[in-house]
Structure formats: structure tokens, C-alpha cells
């Protein structure tokens, strides 16, 4: 099953692609073909699904959600 996830842009776009990092720290190369508007910049947050950046996310909102996700992963079972 594929899921959409928040990713932070790490590099400037090159030929419609860029490197991003997910909440777990994994790096991915994603396509910007499905993203509307200006190209994202390093530090921007994106929703990525199946290798495609779909939309931008407000930085404060994304940071708060990613912090909660990380805290949930560290909580004892």
C-alpha cells in the first residue's frame, strides 16, 4: 500500500526532480510534474505520494505534525 507522506525538500529542483527527506530521515528523489505553482525550494515541505510531489504544506503545520509522528514512534508500546 502506498501512502502520502510529508517530505522536506533538500535540494533545488533540477529538470523537474528534487531530493527530499521524509519524517524517518530517508532520502528520495521525487518528480515535480504533478505540483502546481512555483518550484519548491530547499526547506519547503511537500506531500509526496508514489514518487510525486502533490502539494506544498505550511512549514509550521508540517513541523508540528512531523514532531508528533516522531514522538509517537518513540513512545513505549
Amino acid at each position: 500500500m502506498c501512502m502520502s507522506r510529508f517530505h522536506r525538500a533538500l535540494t533545488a529542483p533540477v529538470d523537474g526532480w528534487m531530493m527530499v527527506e521524509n519524517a524517518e530521515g530517508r532520502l528520495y528523489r521525487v518528480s515535480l510534474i504533478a505540483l502546481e505553482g512555483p518550484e519548491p525550494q530547499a526547506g519547503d515541505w511537500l506531500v509526496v505520494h508514489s514518487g510525486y510531489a502533490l502539494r506544498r504544506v505550511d512549514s509550521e503545520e508540517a513541523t508540528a505534525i512531523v514532531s508528533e509522528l516522531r514522538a509517537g514512534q518513540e513512545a513505549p508500546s
Side-chain angles (χ1 to χ4, degrees), residues 38-55:
E39 290 185 330
Q41 302 301 311
D44 288 350
W45 285 91
L46 306 167
V47 172
V48 174
H49 182 83
S50 298
Y52 295 92
L54 301 179
R55 69 178 180 91

Side-chain angles (χ1 to χ4, degrees), residues 6 43-45 56-68:
F6 289 128
D44 288 350
W45 285 91
R56 289 171 184 74
V57 179
D58 175 75
S59 181
E60 288 181 27
E61 176 185 5
T63 301
I65 291 171
V66 169
S67 293
E68 286 186 36

Side-chain angles (χ1 to χ4, degrees), residues 5-72:
R5 295 179 167 222
F6 289 128
H7 290 70
R8 187 172 47 91
L10 298 177
T11 62
V14 176
D15 296 329
W17 295 85
M18 73 185 322
M19 293 300 296
V20 297
E21 176 183 28
N22 71 8
E24 291 83 31
R26 292 188 187 100
L27 303 179
Y28 297 93
R29 182 174 180 246
V30 299
S31 172
L32 303 176
I33 196 168
L35 187 66
E36 294 182 9
E39 290 185 330
Q41 302 301 311
D44 288 350
W45 285 91
L46 306 167
V47 172
V48 174
H49 182 83
S50 298
Y52 295 92
L54 301 179
R55 69 178 180 91
R56 289 171 184 74
V57 179
D58 175 75
S59 181
E60 288 181 27
E61 176 185 5
T63 301
I65 291 171
V66 169
S67 293
E68 286 186 36
L69 290 172
R70 288 179 180 157

